[in-house]
Amino acid sequence: MNGMEATRAHMLGDLIAASHLMTLEQLPGTVASHAAGAGWPQVRIYLADLQQERLYLLAGNVDVGPGDTGVPAELSVDGTVAGRAFQLGKVFPASASADGQWWVPLLDGAERLGVLRVGLPGAQVEADEDLNRLAGLVALLLESKRETSDSYSRLVRRRRMRVAAEMEWQLMPPRTFATDRVLISAVMEPAYQVSGDAFDYALTGETVHLSVVDAMGHDTAAGLTANLALAAARNHRRQGAGLLETAEGVGETLTEQFAGSRYATSILADLHLTTGVLTWTNYGHHPPVVIRGNRTVVHLACPPAPPLGTGLDLPGTLRSDQLEPGDRLVLYTDGITEARNREGQEFGLDGLTDFLIRHHADGLPVPETLRRLIGHHLAYHLGRLDDDATVMLLEWHGPTPYQPTQLQALTGLPRSTTPETIASAWAQRPAEDEGD
């Protein structure tokens, strides 16, 4: 490790130590002062707004000096170098003519928060892995501070938010999450007025749990219904309940609270990450689709039960489907497919899948594809949506190499068993467990 590398490593450690009692407003100045001592002049933090259309400067208590005269308070995500760094998750020079200035994406895992601007005209700053380390640390610090800061919410909101939407966004997990085997990304509009839609995901060992909820209505009560449905699903899931038991618990909770006057459609699903087996159930919702090989749309089918909360007490049905490496599972609400433009034309499921296929072929990251999808959808409807529109996309990268001990633990089959046989055996297991 050379002298500068040691200085930067020490600086990152000092920044972590300084962060424990730091407020969000103190973050920009503290980061800038520590970074300057390690050869990164004038670090500035920009955060993406809720709809990821603009980047706003987090000024905080940072000192503004002579070199800051050209620092804009906001930038567009589309049509700027800063926006390109945000869209693609890559480091870009601030301009072709000015050395020493860089835009660096702020990523909390796979969740996009904004960008860093590092350097000033004439500075001798090189883009190296240390810049990504600085941005990664700043993103972690932002994530640890933003939930307790109204300043963060005020900065990234561009208009007034309805109470139902306030509830929804507080309930949602991060819009993007990734491991070495799976990527999950979701979008939800109208961002400031959403009321009845909700999405959720979580990991338990080798299983990722997924759910999409669409509560009846477009008012605050719809938001309450969606919040209660997701909270009940999480409560039962975290106690070890299977999909059907979880759905039954959600239905009972909604019926107890609303006596059948409020209900929600839903898809509940589990994906086993080692085998790629998707187990799911449908309660009055549009079934998911799989995009395979970026050209084929596979329509999944499962006999739907009535929506949750109707009090009809009709049991759901479990379905198991085998995903292939590279498959993209798409869950959505009817607001994305059934909304009509002025000519009365629906956006449609074909419109949704065609858009995803075309933009995936362009090599865009999944979160950026979904951001552009929502922009296209809003434009299709002239910026006005009469219903909530939600899309959650899961991309399964495939299993990690099979280990003999893992195979035995998963299925009890011999070590010589092929992966195809293992997948088939696992596909039958969840349905049998649910019926016990």
Side-chain angles (χ1 to χ4, degrees):
M1 181 180 294
N2 60 38
M4 181 56 72
E5 290 175 339
T7 298
R8 289 176 174 177
H10 191 266
M11 182 277 296
L12 294 175
D14 287 345
L15 190 53
I16 293 173
S19 71
H20 298 307
L21 300 178
M22 185 193 306
T23 66
L24 183 80
E25 290 79 4
Q26 294 171 322
L27 181 61
T30 305
V31 169
S33 62
H34 280 69
W40 289 313
Q42 299 206 7
V43 173
R44 298 295 179 257
I45 301 170
Y46 283 81
L47 301 176
D49 74 298
L50 184 61
Q51 293 175 299
Q52 299 181 334
E53 296 175 343
R54 310 288 297 178
L55 296 164
Y56 292 99
L57 177 66
L58 178 63
N61 63 354
V62 68
D63 293 330
V64 178
D68 266 332
T69 55
V71 178
E74 64 178 270
L75 295 160
S76 173
V77 169
D78 294 309
T80 66
V81 179
R84 188 164 178 79
F86 175 82
Q87 292 174 42
L88 302 182
K90 297 179 180 179
V91 179
F92 282 92
S95 70
S97 59
D99 295 332
Q101 292 186 88
W102 303 94
W103 291 107
V104 189
L106 283 171
L107 300 172
D108 177 38
E111 174 78 339
R112 306 184 299 178
L113 303 181
V115 293
L116 282 186
R117 195 212 70 173
V118 181
L120 69 164
Q124 298 301 313
V125 178
E126 295 184 4
D128 54 26
E129 192 56 37
D130 283 342
L131 270 183
N132 284 319
R133 294 189 180 99
L134 173 65
L137 177 56
V138 172
L140 288 174
L141 297 181
L142 283 168
E143 184 64 28
S144 71
K145 305 298 179 185
R146 66 174 177 170
E147 294 302 323
T148 56
S149 171
D150 280 350
S151 297
Y152 190 103
S153 297
R154 290 175 180 176
L155 180 65
V156 302
R157 295 181 184 182
R158 300 173 61 195
R159 61 181 67 97
R160 191 170 182 175
M161 180 176 286
R162 290 174 54 182
V163 172
E166 188 80 51
M167 289 191 299
E168 295 292 270
W169 285 113
Q170 289 300 313
L171 184 69
M172 298 300 103
R175 281 179 284 188
T176 303
F177 170 82
T179 72
D180 60 339
R181 287 184 286 177
V182 68
L183 183 146
I184 303 168
S185 193
V187 286
M188 192 165 63
E189 283 285 346
Y192 297 92
Q193 296 177 311
V194 66
S195 54
D197 278 11
F199 65 87
D200 194 22
Y201 61 83
L203 280 170
T204 303
E206 293 295 301
T207 300
V208 58
H209 310 286
L210 307 165
S211 57
V212 169
V213 171
D214 185 358
M216 66 165 287
H218 309 289
D219 52 8
T220 303
L224 289 170
T225 305
N227 271 255
L228 190 58
L230 249 61
R234 287 172 175 170
N235 180 260
H236 285 79
R237 188 184 72 217
R238 290 166 180 172
Q239 296 180 62
L243 292 175
L244 296 183
E245 186 181 353
T246 295
E248 181 181 352
V250 173
E252 290 175 352
T253 300
L254 295 181
T255 303
E256 179 182 341
Q257 181 64 40
F258 300 112
S261 64
R262 289 276 171 177
Y263 59 83
T265 69
S266 182
I267 295 289
L268 300 175
D270 287 341
L271 173 65
H272 192 263
L273 294 177
T274 301
T275 63
V277 173
L278 177 75
T279 308
W280 61 287
T281 186
N282 184 355
Y283 289 82
H285 201 85
H286 288 282
V289 297
V290 171
I291 299 176
R292 179 163 294 159
N294 202 41
R295 60 183 183 274
T296 303
V297 178
V298 180
H299 296 265
L300 305 185
C302 176
L308 300 169
T310 57
L312 297 177
D313 297 326
L314 297 177
T317 302
L318 279 183
R319 170 67 189 255
S320 288
D321 291 281
Q322 177 66 55
L323 298 189
E324 298 178 3
D327 277 355
R328 285 174 289 152
L329 173 72
V330 184
L331 290 82
Y332 58 94
T333 62
D334 57 11
I336 196 76
T337 55
E338 295 183 0
R340 298 177 182 270
N341 62 12
R342 283 187 173 180
E343 287 71 40
Q345 297 172 323
E346 285 189 351
F347 189 70
L349 181 57
D350 288 342
L352 170 62
T353 55
D354 287 348
F355 188 96
L356 295 175
I357 289 172
R358 283 189 287 108
H359 283 72
H360 182 76
D362 293 337
L364 293 175
V366 169
E368 179 58 21
T369 295
L370 293 185
R371 187 189 76 87
R372 297 187 185 193
L373 167 69
I374 284 297
H376 175 74
H377 188 63
L378 287 170
Y380 185 83
H381 300 289
L382 302 178
R384 180 179 177 83
L385 297 179
D386 295 324
D387 193 8
D388 298 342
T390 299
V391 178
M392 182 162 65
L393 190 152
L394 178 146
E395 186 173 83
W396 184 56
H397 301 152
T400 55
Y402 287 101
Q403 300 295 325
T405 54
Q406 290 177 323
L407 298 182
Q408 289 180 314
L410 286 171
T411 62
L413 296 172
R415 294 188 181 187
S416 59
T417 307
T418 65
E420 291 77 14
T421 302
I422 295 165
S424 176
W426 189 267
Q428 299 173 23
R429 177 180 167 181
E432 295 172 355
D433 290 347
E434 290 280 3
D436 290 343

